[in-house]
Amino acid sequence: MTFYRISEVDGTDEARTIRDFNSLVEEWPAISPSHLHRGYWWIIHDEFGFGRPVGFCGLVPFTPFCDVGYLKRCYILPEHRGNGLQIRCMYVREEKAKRLGWKQLVSECTSVQSAGNFIKANYTPTLPEQPWGNPGSLYFTKLL
């Protein structure tokens, strides 16, 4: 069994790691400096792999709404998938959002596996009035 540590980090301090992971998914646009500066970021480490990073996730304000957060990316290296890390990343971001006083989280995905994880974490499928994701995106929301 492998153990993992999910640590909140400063987005500007860890910009290179975050951008390196983000670049592994072709359809994801680059993360902007404002997201790194204004957002909240976590790096996932493999505790028995000498603490090497195996993924990342983020949370940013969903502008223009003042009490809504957006789950900004979650990427886990393929060899570490299937260990519940995406759901754990959802939970750490939910806790942060609650501490910030946010009332709702939103996100989207194109992966069937990710959609299943949103459902397992009690997110509700939704269709936004103005979809923002890539064609074929599935949208989710959760009241906190």
Side-chain angles (χ1 to χ4, degrees), residues 45-140:
H45 290 89
D46 173 354
E47 287 290 311
F48 293 113
F50 305 102
R52 74 180 181 97
V54 300
F56 85 109
C57 62
L59 173 68
V60 298
F62 191 62
T63 53
F65 308 101
C66 62
D67 61 354
V68 178
Y70 174 68
L71 300 180
K72 179 86 174 172
R73 313 279 198 276
C74 182
Y75 182 83
I76 310 297
L77 290 172
E79 62 269 27
H80 293 276
R81 294 177 188 165
N83 292 302
L85 293 172
Q86 185 181 34
I87 291 175
R88 284 181 57 193
C89 286
M90 288 177 190
Y91 292 148
V92 298
R93 292 180 287 175
E94 286 174 22
E95 290 305 313
K96 180 69 170 191
K98 288 175 187 175
R99 286 193 303 275
L100 293 168
W102 294 352
K103 305 295 183 213
Q104 183 178 6
L105 291 174
V106 297
S107 195
E108 93 284 338
C109 67
T110 55
S111 156
V112 172
Q113 292 83 4
S114 292
N117 284 332
F118 276 108
I119 299 296
K120 285 180 193 173
N122 296 313
Y123 282 74
T124 302
T126 189
L127 184 58
E129 190 175 301
Q130 297 179 16
W132 62 86
N134 292 328
S137 289
L138 303 169
Y139 296 88
F140 295 89

